[in-house]
Amino acid sequence: MTRIVNLSRRKLLKAIGGGSGLVLGVYFSATDRASAIEEPARPLRAGFEPGQLSPNVFVAMDPTGQVTLTVSRPEMGQGIRTTFAMIMADELAAAWPRIVVRQSDGDAKYGDQITDASRSILIMERPLRLAAASVRQMLEAAAAQTWRALIADCRAVDHEVIHVPTARVLPYAQLVKTAMNLPVPNPDKLRLRDSSSRRYIGHAIPSIDMGAMLKGKTPFGADVTLPGIKYASIERCPVYGGKVKNFDPAGAMAVRGVEKVIEIPANPAPSGHLPLGGIAVIASNSWAAFQGRKKLKIEWDLGSNASHDTTAYRAEMQATARRTGKSVRTLGNFESAYAGAAIRVVGEYFVPYQTHATMEPPVAVAAFENSKLIVMAPTQSPQTARAVLAQYLDLKEADIVVRPTFLGNGFGRKALHDYICEAGWLAKATNGRIKVVWTREDDIKHGYYQPICFQRLDGGLDKNGVPIAWRHRTVFPSLASTFHADQVLPDAAQLGQGFVDMPYAIPNLRCEVGAAPAHMRLGPGRGGLNMAHTFAMCSFIDELASAAGKDPANFLFTYYAGPKKIDMKALGVDYPNYSALIEDYPLDVGRLQNVLQFAMDRASWGDPLLPRQGRGLAVHRSFLSYAAAIIVVTVAENGQISIPRIDLVIDCGQVINPDRVKALMEDSIMYGLGFALYGEVTVKNGAVEQRNFDDYPVARAVITPEMHIHVVPSGHPPTGAGDPAVPVIAPALCNAIFAATGKRIRTLPIDLNLLKDAPATAPVPTAGAPAAPTAIPLTPAGPAPKN
C-alpha cells in the first residue's frame, strides 16, 4: 500500500534543510503493485539483511515557493536527477526554474537506494507522481479555502493556482502556509494529470546539473578533499584469497611524504563487499603514497586460487558444456526431435572475464572523529555501503554517514564496497581523515569481474527448414559465489538473463546449466549475464536461419510466433523477471516483433550492399525493455573492419527524458562495440595479466559509427534504458561479419586475424549505390596513458 504523510511539523523538515514549509514523505510497500518491484537481498556475507522500507521520496516547498526534491538514488550519468525532477514538475504543475534537487545520504528511511539494473524509473515514477500530485491538490485546496470557492474550480498551472470562473490567481508561495496545515489526500483519491498537460515529460529538457558540470562544480569522488586529509595507496595480493606472509616497510617509509605503513587484514574468500586486504601506504599526498608503495617488499601467501588459469578453465567449462547439465526449462522431447532432424547445427560460444573499467576508478574519503564515521564516495548504493561499514567496523549505523558523490560511471562496480571499507577501516585505525585512491592498474587487477562463460547450442531443422529442436547449455561461475561459499550453480535471477527466457516458438527445447567453481571475485556488469547469453542465443538463431537458407530477419520474425505473452510459470520455469511482477511486465513476444519490424523498416533491411559488406541483426528483451540492432559492417581483405552504420531501436515504455534515452543508446553502442572487439581479462597463476588500457583497450572515438537511434512510442509503463540495448550489439556485429564473409564468430573478443582473406559474400550493389566508406582499423590507436 502507498501512504503519503505530511512531515511539515516534524524534525525531519530541519534535517532536509528547511525551517518551514510543506514537506511530504511517501511510504510504499515492496509488494505494492504500483511499484511492481521486490527488493532483492544484497548481503555483506550470508545472513546480512537490508534495512526495512520507510519514507523514500520527499517533496518540500518552502514559503517562497521553491520546490526541493530529495533524490535518494545516485547519479552516474543516467540523468536520474533531471528525470525525477521532470516527473515531479509535471505532476506538481511547477515552474522548472523553481526546482532544486538535493541528493540524500544513505539511510534505510529512503527504502531501496541502489542505482543498478535500470530500475530507478521503474521503481520511483509512480511514488514521485503521487507525492507531487498530493502537493498540487493541497495547494489547490488551500486556494479554494482562501477564496471560499469550490476545489473543482481551482487549477494549478505553472507554479500558481487559478480560479477558473473568475481568473483570480494565487502563486504557490502564498498558499504554502495554509496548505501545510491541511490533511494529505488519500492516494486512492488523487487526480493524476493526463499526458496532454505535460510540459516536461517526453520533451527535451536540459540536465539540471549541466551548468555546474561545465564549470567543474559537480563533486565526483576524486574531487573530494578535507583539511588535514592523508592519502592511501594499497598493495593487494595478486591472487584472490591470498594474504600477506610478511612485509618490510623500510623502503616506503624512506620516501618523502610517507607517514605510515599499515597492514589491512585480509578477508577470506568469499569476501563479499569486504576488502581484499594488503599493505596501505599513507602519505601527505597521493604521489608520495604511490611512490612509497613501489618500495614495499612483501611476501605473499597466494592461497588456493594460485593455480587458476583461464586457458585451462575454459577447457574445463567446455567439457562441462558437452555433458548433460541441470535442466531449468524443458518443452517437448528434444532428444527425439534432434535425432530425427533433417539438418543439425552445433555452435559453441565463449565470452571471457570482463572488468568494469569505469572512467573514474574507485576512490573514497573517510573521516573518523569522536567515534563517528563520515564517508564521501562514488557509490551506487549508499545505504548498502552504510550497512556494510557498520558490520565491518563494528559501529552503529546511526554513527555512520555515507554521502554519495557524482559517479564517473558505475556499471555495477560501485555497488560493491570494498574500496569504501578500505577508507573506513584506515580512518578508524588512524583516528583521522583518509582518501583511498585506486589506480587504473588496481582497478583492472583487483576488481570484481563479470563471469567467464562457455555455452553450447544444438539445433535441429526439419526438411523444410523449420526449427524443431533447441538445446542451450550454459556454464559460468555464479555471481553469488562472491558472497557464499560452494556456490557452483547460478541462481534463477542470473539464468533469467537471456537464457531460460528464450522467446522462440520451437516445440522441443531444453535449457541446461553446468557447475563451475569460482576462482575470482565476481560482480554484476552492465547488461548482466545477458551479455554472454544474448551473444550466443542471437548468433545461433542466425545460424539456424542460414542453415535453413532463409533471410535472418524473416526467420526470426516467423519463429517469435507472436503476438503473445510467454507464461513462464505455466512452463514450470523459475523466472524472477528482473524482480518485477510478471503480470505487470510480461515477456511480450509482440513487442519483440515490433522492435524487429521497426529496425527493419528504418535500416532498409534487404537493400543491396557494397562488396565485402554485410548486415546483421539481433533482438532481445532485458531489464523489462526491448531492443533491436541492425549493423552494417565492411570487412577489408586484410581482416580489418569498419562499421558504416548502426540502427538501434529501443522500446522502454513511456519515455520520460528522451534526450537522456538517446544518449544512453549512443553510449550502449560504444560499450557494446568495446565488449565485442576488445574486452578480455586473462588469468595465469591466479593473477590477472592485464593492467591498463594498453592491454585492456576500450572503444575509442575513432571507431564511432554513424548512429541512428529509434525510440518506439509506447503507452507501456516506463522501464530501463541504461542496460537493455547493450547486449544486442555484439551478436548483431558478428552476424553482420558472417553475412559479409561467411565466417562465423563464436568467441569474443573478435579475432580479426580470422577474417584475413575471407571471401566477399554480400551481393554486388546495383548502379547508384553509395561509395564504400573508408575502412577504420578496429585496433587500439596506441598505448593509453597510464593513470
Side-chain angles (χ1 to χ4, degrees):
M1 296 296 292
T2 301
R3 183 164 60 92
I4 304 171
V5 295
N6 191 335
L7 304 171
S8 303
R9 297 177 179 175
R10 304 188 183 190
K11 292 181 180 179
L12 176 67
L13 181 58
K14 183 177 181 180
I16 70 168
S20 61
L22 175 61
V23 183
L24 297 188
V26 179
Y27 298 71
F28 61 91
S29 164
T31 56
D32 182 6
R33 289 175 62 92
S35 65
I37 286 292
E38 299 170 3
E39 168 66 8
R42 298 182 180 278
L44 168 67
R45 293 183 186 273
F48 173 80
E49 295 296 335
Q52 296 297 309
L53 210 56
S54 194
N56 50 358
V57 57
F58 296 106
V59 178
M61 181 178 290
D62 70 16
T64 71
Q66 177 175 286
V67 180
T68 298
L69 170 65
T70 299
V71 174
S72 61
R73 288 167 178 264
E75 173 65 60
M76 57 182 186
Q78 81 281 38
I80 203 66
R81 288 158 54 93
T82 301
T83 305
F84 278 10
M86 292 168 69
I87 295 168
M88 183 201 67
D90 259 338
E91 201 60 58
L92 182 55
W96 189 254
R98 306 302 306 280
I99 295 172
V100 174
V101 172
R102 172 190 174 274
Q103 194 72 43
S104 73
D105 294 337
D107 197 312
K109 69 187 178 187
Y110 294 111
D112 178 6
Q113 284 185 271
I114 189 167
T115 298
D116 79 338
S118 298
R119 302 186 311 150
S120 294
I121 298 298
L122 178 71
I123 294 175
M124 296 303 298
E125 185 255 355
R126 179 77 175 175
L128 276 168
R129 291 190 69 192
L130 293 176
S134 299
V135 175
R136 172 175 49 80
Q137 287 187 209
M138 292 170 75
L139 292 166
E140 290 171 338
Q145 188 179 102
T146 301
W147 289 321
R148 298 184 180 180
L150 297 174
I151 294 179
D153 290 335
C154 299
R155 184 180 306 162
V157 179
D158 197 24
H159 234 76
E160 57 190 19
V161 177
I162 300 172
H163 184 238
V164 177
T166 64
R168 286 178 291 176
V169 174
L170 280 173
Y172 282 177
Q174 294 182 26
L175 297 169
V176 172
K177 186 175 181 180
T178 301
M180 64 184 289
N181 295 303
L182 295 176
V184 179
N186 187 312
D188 295 333
K189 305 292 185 182
L190 288 173
R191 306 183 312 276
L192 298 180
R193 305 182 81 198
D194 60 40
S195 58
S196 64
S197 62
R198 291 173 181 162
R199 301 172 57 195
Y200 309 113
I201 291 175
H203 298 280
I205 302 297
S207 167
I208 207 162
D209 298 306
M210 186 58 68
M213 284 184 176
L214 292 174
K215 297 175 183 177
K217 294 183 177 180
T218 46
F220 288 82
D223 299 322
V224 176
T225 188
L226 295 170
I229 199 165
K230 306 300 180 182
Y231 295 81
S233 183
I234 303 168
E235 186 70 14
R236 304 167 185 85
C237 182
V239 178
Y240 175 48
K243 60 184 179 181
V244 175
K245 289 177 68 174
N246 58 72
F247 72 99
D248 180 358
M253 290 299 296
V255 174
R256 183 178 180 180
V258 172
E259 299 180 4
K260 293 180 182 179
V261 176
I262 301 177
E263 180 180 354
I264 301 176
N267 291 284
S271 57
H273 288 278
L274 303 184
L276 295 170
I279 306 301
V281 176
I282 299 174
S284 59
N285 61 83
S286 59
W287 178 253
F290 294 151
Q291 297 309 304
R293 177 179 164 187
K294 292 177 182 178
K295 302 293 185 180
L296 288 169
K297 294 181 179 179
I298 306 174
E299 184 181 0
W300 299 103
D301 176 354
L302 298 178
S304 61
N305 289 320
S307 61
H308 183 45
D309 180 281
T310 44
T311 301
Y313 193 50
R314 175 177 176 172
E316 294 171 13
M317 296 170 72
Q318 181 182 51
T320 300
R322 292 178 176 180
R323 298 191 297 265
T324 300
K326 177 185 176 182
S327 179
V328 289
R329 181 179 173 185
T330 304
L331 181 66
N333 188 323
F334 167 80
E335 287 78 8
S336 176
Y338 187 71
I343 302 173
R344 299 175 194 170
V345 182
V346 178
E348 293 186 334
Y349 297 86
F350 176 73
V351 173
Y353 288 119
Q354 306 270 331
T355 192
H356 297 87
T358 56
M359 184 183 302
E360 172 195 42
V363 60
V365 169
F368 188 77
E369 297 167 357
N370 301 317
S371 299
K372 297 184 184 297
L373 179 70
I374 181 168
V375 172
M376 290 162 282
T379 167
Q380 291 177 238
S381 182
Q383 186 184 137
T384 305
R386 187 186 190 207
V388 169
L389 283 165
Q391 184 174 338
Y392 178 52
L393 301 177
D394 194 24
L395 297 172
K396 296 177 181 179
E397 282 195 43
D399 292 332
I400 300 174
V401 173
V402 175
R403 188 154 294 155
T405 65
F406 285 79
L407 285 72
N409 300 141
F411 304 144
R413 172 61 181 98
K414 292 169 186 171
L416 298 157
H417 297 109
D418 56 328
Y419 61 104
I420 290 177
C421 288
E422 289 173 340
W425 190 93
L426 288 170
K428 186 181 180 187
T430 61
N431 198 37
R433 301 175 174 187
I434 294 288
K435 184 172 187 175
V436 169
V437 181
W438 284 47
T439 65
R440 180 61 64 195
E441 287 82 1
D442 293 334
D443 179 40
I444 290 177
K445 285 188 167 293
H446 302 290
Y448 293 78
Y449 303 93
Q450 290 95 80
I452 187 172
C453 183
F454 195 97
Q455 299 169 78
R456 178 187 172 99
L457 288 100
D458 300 84
L461 305 167
D462 69 13
K463 63 182 180 180
N464 298 315
V466 174
I468 58 172
W470 174 287
R471 182 176 63 197
H472 188 172
R473 290 173 176 163
T474 186
V475 182
F476 61 92
S478 172
L479 291 171
S481 65
T482 299
F483 295 94
H484 306 282
D486 302 320
Q487 292 286 311
V488 296
L489 286 172
D491 58 26
Q494 296 170 70
L495 296 175
Q497 296 184 13
F499 184 63
V500 298
D501 50 343
M502 187 280 280
Y504 313 127
I506 299 176
N508 303 283
L509 68 88
R510 284 180 64 84
C511 295
E512 300 173 3
V513 58
H519 302 286
M520 304 282 284
R521 282 201 308 182
L522 304 175
R526 189 176 185 185
L529 272 301
N530 290 287
M531 299 296 284
H533 289 149
T534 306
F535 166 57
M537 181 175 65
C538 291
S539 295
F540 194 68
I541 196 71
D542 196 83
E543 292 204 42
L544 292 184
S546 177
K550 298 181 180 179
D551 174 83
N554 292 332
F555 187 83
L556 186 58
F557 196 93
T558 299
Y559 295 109
Y560 277 144
K564 67 177 181 181
K565 297 175 177 63
I566 299 177
D567 187 343
M568 288 293 183
K569 185 175 182 180
L571 295 173
V573 178
D574 185 358
Y575 182 60
N577 197 38
Y578 300 92
S579 300
L581 297 176
I582 194 72
E583 297 88 348
D584 294 339
Y585 299 92
L587 204 171
D588 190 337
V589 178
R591 292 176 74 180
L592 283 168
Q593 285 183 313
N594 189 49
V595 293
L596 171 58
Q597 188 66 59
F598 216 84
M600 291 170 64
D601 293 344
R602 283 148 184 82
S604 301
W605 183 269
D607 281 4
L609 294 170
L610 295 166
R612 308 198 67 84
Q613 283 192 336
R615 189 184 279 118
L617 67 87
V619 185
H620 186 55
R621 173 193 185 263
S622 65
F623 303 96
L624 312 179
S625 295
Y626 301 76
I630 292 180
I631 296 180
V632 176
V633 68
T634 303
V635 183
E637 292 184 5
N638 65 357
Q640 298 299 306
I641 68 176
S642 61
I643 304 170
R645 175 176 176 138
I646 294 182
D647 285 82
L648 182 59
V649 176
I650 184 72
D651 175 0
C652 53
Q654 180 195 13
V655 173
I656 308 295
N657 189 341
D659 181 69
R660 185 48 43 184
V661 170
K662 181 182 178 184
L664 286 169
M665 294 305 103
E666 293 168 344
D667 179 54
S668 295
I669 287 173
M670 297 305 293
Y671 195 95
L673 290 177
F675 170 78
L677 295 163
Y678 306 131
E680 181 178 30
V681 167
T682 57
V683 179
K684 193 171 183 63
N685 297 323
V688 171
E689 295 185 292
Q690 291 69 31
R691 61 189 304 275
N692 209 309
F693 288 143
D694 53 349
D695 52 9
Y696 189 85
V698 295
R700 298 187 181 185
V702 69
I703 73 166
T704 305
E706 181 182 304
M707 301 181 188
H708 296 260
I709 308 301
H710 313 284
V711 180
V712 177
S714 177
H716 293 282
T719 48
D723 293 273
V726 183
V728 296
I729 301 301
L733 176 59
C734 293
N735 291 338
I737 290 172
F738 174 78
T741 67
K743 295 278 189 178
R744 187 63 72 178
I745 305 295
R746 298 193 183 103
T747 295
L748 296 181
I750 298 169
D751 184 354
L752 298 182
N753 290 319
L754 298 176
L755 305 180
K756 289 181 179 179
D757 302 318
T761 61
V764 177
T766 57
T774 302
I776 301 173
L778 289 179
T779 52
K786 293 178 173 60
N787 53 17

